Amino acid sequence: MKFHPASITSLVALLSLGACSSGLFSPRIHSFDTALQHLERNLLPRIAVANPDTTLGNGRQRALPPLAETLPSAEAFPLSGADPRRPASAELLRLEIVSSAEKADPHRPDRRWLILVAEEFNRRRERLASGRRIEVVIRTIPSGLAAQMLAAAKLRPAGYSPASEQWLALLEQQGMRTDRIHSGLVANTTVIAVQPKVLRDQGLSAAPDFAAVVDQALAGRLRIGYSNPYTSSAGLDFLHTLLWLSAGHGRDLRPLTLAELQSGAVQRSFGVFQQQIATTAPTYIELAEAWKRNPNRFDAVVMAHQSYVRLQREPGFADLIAVHFGSPQDSPLAAFAWTTPEQRQALERFAAFASSPPMQALARQWGYGASPPVPAQARPPRAVGEVLSQAQRQWKRRKDGARTVYLQMVIDSSGSMNEERRLEQVKQAVAQAAAAVNPGNHVGLISFSDRPIRHLPLQPFDGQGHQRLLAAVDGLRADGPTALFDGLAVAMADLMQARRSDPDGRFVLLLLSDGQSTTGLELAELEQVIRHSGISLIPIAYGDLELGQLQSLAGIRETTVLKAKPQLIQPLIHDLIQTNL
């Protein structure tokens, strides 16, 4: 039998169309437009989406608890350094110290310095004059979150060691007395880690100063990533130094004042800077992880010097340049009004041991204490809490740099979300975090079980939009299997349509799931769409689950899977929405 060439061409076209429609393979996707076309023509027609009518009534009736009540309990953060089950007694003084994570992360061998110090101190079995033996336990909580918990009376440790004095200043501004036991347990500074190729391309010296790097960013020639100044010490230090420099104090070295913060010149300069920023993340650790996966993603990242030293040991980062700036990040140790005289004595003994030559030598093995002095032109005087608090608020108002942010929240509502009150915790977290959204940005909410439900179409966040979001949150129910990639496809289509209308906007997809996809589309069918979408994808692994699918998903857009337990989901969601919206 012979076939006419035209018939063969037609047959091939028909087979290709059928294969495309059935999802056996995807057409060539090489751009945003072809990705959206494939999504709308070949994938969305296979998905049944529910679009319930979201009224405003439930949202208006919802009574939100105060933010303090949504903070986690201290028990959500385990103790390290000694057996946490051993109680205090007449013979044993249990000394709890809350520490920042970069020096006391129990899950990271390169960030366990203070835990190692506590373990070594406990082996000495030191005793007070009363005869009680001192046993130090470390509770690791990020500096900013710990400050919030202390201010809300959710923590009552004997001592607190944030990365920076700035958190103590913020606590004092809120009326909490802090007494310095030690000015700094271990030396550290903040740096901008810069790719050397960028310096060469811009004709800068191999050791540029802070002002030169900021000028390059203002001119759009340097993509910087930094972290949330409400929770991150490096982020807060960077924000304060940037505003101080914008006020002209790199020349006269005077402190930044409230009046200067509110001046039009400083606000305009900061607005221009934010228009050029590459990204802001909850922590610089996430930025560093993303940078390791793709060294071309950023030109520079703000981080602690100790983390910069560790990053230099990674392939492709040996030649990184550090631009030092800011206030000391020396991990002071403070006591409180409730700290007993015996606890103060024990804190003094522990601080003396931590600052001893052997423990400082141990710190240098992990990159502490090796940074050169910060130049005076990049070292602001110590700021009072009122200035730091106002700087944080200004960052929140102007961080989007006049661009509209479009955020889709995609939430797993499969049956397993009933366990451990997982869905109820998420609902409370989203409702509470909504207060952190800047007016004018756009928010949408989609859930998925056996099919996606568009509870809230992507829309402007104003007073009415806020109430609609609260009503949509109330409508979340957990039941059925997990059509994860169906929900993801619907959310991406909405965001990509918005990007077509507003190409200068920022587009973020927040995906939360407690399990693997069990029905609907597969990741392979969406991979190229995700790759060319221009959307920042943030996956959250909720509870204990196999991370394979979410890690593969994050790898497409070179992001990081965030891990959360039900008892910690509220601060995480609040941090993400505060950072992105």
Side-chain angles (χ1 to χ4, degrees):
M1 181 181 294
K2 293 184 179 180
F3 292 98
H4 191 277
S7 301
I8 295 175
T9 302
S10 300
L11 179 61
V12 169
L14 283 170
L15 288 172
S16 297
L17 179 60
C20 249
S21 300
S22 64
L24 293 178
F25 62 85
S26 299
R28 179 171 172 76
I29 296 173
H30 53 81
S31 66
F32 171 83
D33 289 332
T34 55
L36 180 57
Q37 183 181 75
H38 173 61
L39 182 58
E40 292 182 331
R41 289 185 180 179
N42 301 322
L43 301 182
L44 292 185
R46 297 162 50 193
I47 302 171
V49 185
N51 293 283
D53 178 31
T54 302
T55 62
L56 301 184
N58 290 339
R60 288 197 181 104
Q61 294 166 7
R62 185 182 182 95
L64 293 180
L67 179 59
E69 293 183 18
T70 68
L71 292 169
S73 66
E75 289 67 34
F77 302 90
L79 295 168
S80 305
D83 186 346
R85 298 166 296 179
R86 188 160 40 241
S89 66
E91 293 77 31
L92 179 69
L93 174 69
R94 293 272 285 181
L95 190 72
E96 180 181 325
I97 299 173
V98 168
S99 169
S100 54
E102 88 291 335
K103 64 177 180 290
D105 187 340
H107 307 295
R108 295 290 300 267
D110 57 332
R111 298 193 180 103
R112 294 186 76 247
W113 173 76
L114 195 63
I115 296 173
L116 296 175
V117 173
E119 291 172 347
E120 189 62 31
F121 179 85
N122 291 337
R123 289 190 194 100
R124 294 161 61 93
R125 303 179 69 84
E126 293 201 13
R127 294 183 182 273
L128 296 166
S130 64
R132 296 181 77 187
R133 181 168 64 85
I134 307 169
E135 185 171 80
V136 175
V137 288
I138 306 295
R139 196 181 298 277
T140 306
I141 306 177
S143 295
L145 178 57
Q148 294 172 33
M149 294 171 68
L150 284 163
K154 301 291 289 270
L155 276 177
R156 285 181 69 89
Y160 171 44
S161 181
S164 167
E165 278 271 349
Q166 292 172 326
W167 301 109
L168 300 179
L170 283 165
L171 284 175
E172 290 160 358
Q173 186 256 339
Q174 297 177 72
M176 180 174 289
R177 191 185 108 197
T178 62
D179 300 326
R180 306 301 189 273
I181 299 295
H182 199 284
S183 60
L185 298 180
V186 63
N188 207 358
T189 57
T190 319
V191 305
I192 306 175
V194 188
Q195 292 278 21
K197 180 180 183 301
V198 179
L199 302 179
R200 292 193 298 269
D201 291 347
Q202 303 304 330
L204 295 175
S205 71
D209 59 21
F210 182 79
V213 171
V214 170
D215 286 343
Q216 292 297 311
L218 285 168
R221 294 191 288 265
L222 190 73
R223 298 167 299 162
I224 295 180
Y226 72 102
S227 44
N228 183 353
Y230 276 94
T231 54
S232 165
S233 298
L236 180 58
D237 198 26
F238 179 70
L239 173 66
H240 175 235
T241 308
L242 178 66
L243 295 172
W244 176 79
L245 187 71
S246 299
H249 294 311
R251 295 183 295 274
D252 60 35
L253 309 184
R254 295 201 307 265
L256 179 66
T257 67
L258 275 177
E260 290 167 338
L261 263 180
Q262 295 161 359
S263 71
V266 170
Q267 294 195 20
R268 282 192 297 274
S269 176
F270 181 66
V272 171
F273 179 84
Q274 284 299 118
Q275 289 176 17
Q276 306 297 343
I277 204 72
T279 190
T280 307
T283 71
Y284 68 78
I285 294 172
E286 295 164 38
L287 296 174
E289 291 300 319
W291 211 10
K292 284 192 287 188
R293 285 192 295 274
N294 180 4
N296 296 318
R297 182 166 184 186
F298 308 115
D299 299 322
V301 170
V302 176
M303 61 182 64
H305 179 267
Q306 179 259 356
S307 294
Y308 156 77
V309 172
R310 303 294 298 176
L311 185 58
Q312 279 190 306
R313 300 173 188 176
E314 298 286 339
F317 291 93
D319 297 330
L320 275 182
I321 304 297
V323 179
H324 294 81
F325 70 90
S327 304
Q329 304 287 300
D330 290 347
S331 293
L333 179 61
F336 302 97
W338 60 77
T339 307
T340 68
E342 207 171 32
Q343 288 174 330
R344 288 171 187 268
Q345 293 174 27
L347 286 171
E348 290 169 0
R349 296 270 284 275
F350 178 71
F353 179 74
S355 55
S356 66
M359 295 301 99
Q360 293 298 301
L362 178 66
R364 286 192 290 276
Q365 293 179 22
W366 304 116
Y368 288 102
S371 58
V374 176
Q377 295 79 11
R379 189 176 69 245
R382 180 181 175 185
V384 297
E386 195 174 8
V387 167
L388 294 172
S389 179
Q390 181 61 36
Q392 289 174 323
R393 290 194 291 271
Q394 181 163 313
W395 170 81
K396 178 58 183 168
R397 288 194 304 269
R398 304 184 67 88
K399 68 181 181 59
D400 300 325
R403 293 178 294 176
T404 301
V405 181
Y406 300 80
L407 174 76
Q408 278 278 26
M409 289 178 281
V410 185
I411 295 174
D412 190 337
S413 61
S414 60
S416 59
M417 287 289 284
N418 281 319
E419 300 173 10
E420 302 178 272
R421 297 183 63 249
R422 291 177 185 172
L423 186 58
E424 188 58 35
Q425 296 271 23
V426 171
K427 290 166 67 171
Q428 291 176 8
V430 173
Q432 185 66 54
V437 179
N438 282 343
N441 290 328
H442 289 224
V443 178
L445 176 65
I446 291 172
S447 71
F448 60 89
S449 54
D450 59 334
R451 62 173 177 166
I453 300 176
R454 187 185 280 110
H455 296 271
L456 182 71
L458 200 60
Q459 60 187 259
F461 192 85
D462 50 19
Q464 198 172 74
H466 191 171
Q467 296 302 327
R468 286 200 174 102
L469 176 60
L470 297 183
V473 168
D474 276 339
L476 294 174
R477 301 290 182 270
D479 186 38
T482 309
L484 188 154
F485 297 113
D486 285 9
L488 185 62
V490 172
M492 291 192 63
D494 291 352
L495 282 171
M496 292 173 76
Q497 283 288 2
R499 187 184 170 206
R500 173 174 278 175
S501 302
D502 181 11
D504 294 327
R506 287 184 55 235
F507 303 88
V508 182
L509 195 154
L510 183 62
L511 171 68
L512 182 146
S513 180
D514 74 339
Q516 304 293 305
S517 182
T518 58
T519 187
L521 295 177
E522 298 180 2
L523 175 58
E525 298 177 272
L526 270 177
E527 181 175 352
Q528 291 304 314
V529 174
I530 296 168
R531 193 178 304 280
H532 292 88
S533 65
I535 296 169
S536 296
L537 178 60
I538 305 173
I540 300 175
Y542 191 39
D544 297 321
L545 72 155
E546 173 58 47
L547 300 181
Q549 284 185 340
L550 292 183
Q551 285 180 333
S552 297
L553 190 58
I556 298 171
R557 293 293 300 171
E558 295 165 344
T559 56
T560 301
V561 177
L562 303 179
K563 301 175 186 177
K565 298 178 180 179
Q567 62 268 37
L568 292 176
I569 193 63
Q570 294 198 19
L572 176 61
I573 294 291
H574 186 272
D575 195 7
L576 287 170
I577 288 182
Q578 186 179 62
T579 303
N580 287 287
L581 285 170

